[in-house]
Amino acid sequence: MFTPQPTTTARRSPLSREEVLHAAIRLADEGGIAELTMRKLADKLGIQAMSLYHHVANKDELLDAMVDAVFREIEVVTENAPWKPAMRQRAVSARQTLLRHAWALGMMESRANPGQATLECHDAVLGCLRRAGFSVALAAHAFSVLDSYIYGFVLQELNLPFQNPDDLQRVSGSILQNLPADTYPHLMEMMTAHVSQPGYAYADEFMFGLDLILDGLEQALGVRTQPDGCVALTGSG
Amino acid sequence: MFTPQPTTTARRSPLSREEVLHAAIRLADEGGIAELTMRKLADKLGIQAMSLYHHVANKDELLDAMVDAVFREIEVVTENAPWKPAMRQRAVSARQTLLRHAWALGMMESRANPGQATLECHDAVLGCLRRAGFSVALAAHAFSVLDSYIYGFVLQELNLPFQNPDDLQRVSGSILQNLPADTYPHLMEMMTAHVSQPGYAYADEFMFGLDLILDGLEQALGVRTQPDGCVALTGSG
DNA sequence: AAGGTAGGGCTTACGGCGTAAGTCTGTCAA
DNA sequence: TTGACAGACTTACGCCGTAAGCCCTACCTT
């Protein structure tokens, strides 16, 4: 009753696919991926659920586009930069981006349709490595090990039951109390002697592993490039 | 009509929580995690959906238990074994297990309630490292970098649009045809000159990165253990 | 100016989901 | 014999994604 379409003209302004995409990302950032339903997304945009389907084919396509948008946020500075700081900086940026959009990693597992930004990102990384003298095979190795590390680290970081050092103190304290002391002795030692110390933050572990990998790649590169290598440690098995 | 409860006695046999758990894992293994619904799981067990709630509190608890069951499958052989082959073997086993249960990784992101098997697995790894002379801090570093790598590698592996070399040939071929040749030149080079070559399998990349990390850890350990170290390459920042 | 078209809203409806709440029945201890 | 209880079943609710179709209005053509 009372014919509720006076707002039609006002609402009729824009609403592009881009807006839908960004609203979806904002919704997932704020409430987790489970909060992202077509109805709630429509609500947030002030329209009905079915109207979304004028802008995206279906929810799956929307999710694909969201993942690609995340890749677009990762900074890849490769112009004339030495490969090691470039890769280091990209790893840091990738980690920050994936933490900012905690839902993104979990979605990568299930969708195999890389978007344009994803491909561009990968191409830039490979280009940086090739320009630095990596063989095609070594570039593939480097790409694989670096991305695996980044994704895996963030996956573990997201899996932690705390997001900041204060949480950590509280959580580890409560775990310590609830567990019989000798069931997991080494886990216990790790918590009491290391993790629960003031100043510890799991995020700091990122740089250790990243530099370990970059140094390893540098050696692998050097073994090929300068054959006087007194350090040839790669490959143990 | 014809009062359909004659089977009551026959059906009344067991159905323990264990059976529910394993049926759930089998269902998820076969059809993906989306196929695992309480109704379908009940169907498979020959009961009604609501009867499952006598054995699990809710679906979330079931998912937690499933993840823990996956950790139980990872072989951790640390008894009197040198740390390097022990960690290597555990990494291989973890990768195989996570590939066998492709749904497990995607679930880890969202649940922060480690089960008994999970904690045992972590404790065994830490124990192995500590016995080998790793300091608490270095053991934490090692644990972080190894698990990050394993999880991330499997995540990428699952993300690939192919599961075996034959698929790869076909997929990379079709991508090559559909793309303008100069949009992603380095990606293109990687595919034509390396990935699409006979004998290439992404799975083989796993060992390169794994050994790179293990060698890096060995150096980090050596720098502390034997102070004559002419090789001190860790940390570049 | 008049009319046609189509973009982008809206409504209705369907089958599937997790699960709250309650019922029925066979088994076993007292 | 009886009463409690474990473990099945039934019903129902409010979510979900989306198929199908309607209808208004801005714009383009004539």
Side-chain angles (χ1 to χ4, degrees), chain A residues 69-80:
Chain A
V70 168
F71 271 98
R72 197 168 294 116
E73 283 184 35
I74 299 176
E75 293 169 28
V76 191
V77 180
T78 61
E79 300 303 322
N80 300 321

Side-chain angles (χ1 to χ4, degrees), chain A residues 42-121:
Chain A
D43 259 17
K44 189 153 186 169
L45 290 165
I47 61 172
Q48 297 297 112
M50 289 312 292
S51 301
L52 290 169
Y53 289 87
H54 286 288
H55 305 284
V56 295
N58 50 46
K59 190 175 183 181
D60 236 49
E61 197 210 63
L62 175 62
L63 295 177
D64 279 341
M66 289 169 69
V67 170
D68 203 50
V70 168
F71 271 98
R72 197 168 294 116
E73 283 184 35
I74 299 176
E75 293 169 28
V76 191
V77 180
T78 61
E79 300 303 322
N80 300 321
W83 71 271
K84 220 173 162 184
M87 290 298 99
R88 204 168 189 273
Q89 181 262 327
R90 171 189 153 266
V92 170
S93 173
R95 169 170 164 264
Q96 286 173 343
T97 303
L98 290 172
L99 285 178
R100 197 160 49 237
H101 307 294
W103 43 269
L105 252 190
M107 295 188 20
M108 290 180 48
E109 176 226 10
S110 53
R111 53 205 61 254
N113 307 315
Q116 186 186 334
T118 310
L119 295 172
E120 267 169 26
C121 179

Side-chain angles (χ1 to χ4, degrees), chain B residues 163-237:
Chain B
Q163 300 300 341
N164 59 59
D166 291 348
D167 279 354
L168 189 150
Q169 302 293 330
R170 190 168 33 71
V171 169
S172 69
S174 84
I175 294 180
L176 285 176
Q177 286 177 346
N178 292 344
L179 240 55
D182 52 351
T183 319
Y184 309 110
H186 304 103
L187 224 42
M188 222 54 151
E189 177 195 45
M190 182 63 63
M191 302 240 286
T192 53
H194 191 58
V195 171
S196 67
Q197 293 302 306
Y200 178 85
Y202 183 68
D204 296 341
E205 303 279 1
F206 186 63
M207 284 308 172
F208 174 88
L210 181 56
D211 285 329
L212 184 150
I213 290 169
L214 289 173
D215 290 344
L217 290 174
E218 191 168 46
Q219 277 189 53
L221 180 64
V223 168
R224 292 187 67 259
T225 310
Q226 43 204 6
D228 72 69
C230 76
V231 277
L233 294 150
T234 311
S236 71

Side-chain angles (χ1 to χ4, degrees), chain B residues 41-170:
Chain B
L41 176 56
D43 259 19
K44 189 154 184 170
L45 289 165
I47 60 171
Q48 297 297 110
M50 289 312 290
S51 302
L52 291 169
Y53 289 86
H54 287 286
H55 305 285
V56 295
N58 50 46
K59 189 176 183 181
D60 237 48
E61 197 210 65
L62 175 61
L63 295 177
D64 279 341
M66 287 170 69
V67 170
D68 203 49
V70 167
F71 271 98
R72 197 168 294 116
E73 283 184 35
I74 299 176
E75 293 169 28
V76 191
V77 180
T78 61
E79 300 304 323
N80 300 322
W83 72 273
K84 221 173 162 182
M87 290 298 99
R88 203 167 190 273
Q89 181 263 327
R90 171 188 152 266
V92 170
S93 173
R95 170 170 164 263
Q96 287 172 343
T97 304
L98 291 172
L99 285 178
R100 196 161 47 237
H101 306 293
W103 43 269
L105 252 190
M107 295 190 20
M108 291 180 47
E109 177 225 12
S110 54
R111 54 206 60 255
N113 306 315
Q116 185 186 333
T118 309
L119 294 172
E120 268 171 26
C121 179
H122 292 178
D123 193 71
V125 169
L126 287 177
C128 175
L129 294 172
R130 292 287 285 133
R131 259 177 268 123
F134 283 67
S135 69
V136 175
L138 190 57
H141 292 333
F143 190 95
S144 168
V145 65
L146 280 171
D147 271 19
S148 294
Y149 176 66
I150 296 165
Y151 296 155
F153 189 90
V154 174
L155 187 67
Q156 292 199 82
E157 225 172 344
L158 293 173
N159 197 29
L160 296 175
F162 41 80
Q163 300 300 341
N164 59 59
D166 291 348
D167 279 354
L168 189 150
Q169 302 293 330
R170 190 168 33 71

Side-chain angles (χ1 to χ4, degrees), chain A residues 140-154:
Chain A
H141 292 333
F143 191 96
S144 168
V145 66
L146 279 170
D147 271 20
S148 293
Y149 176 66
I150 297 164
Y151 295 155
F153 189 90
V154 175

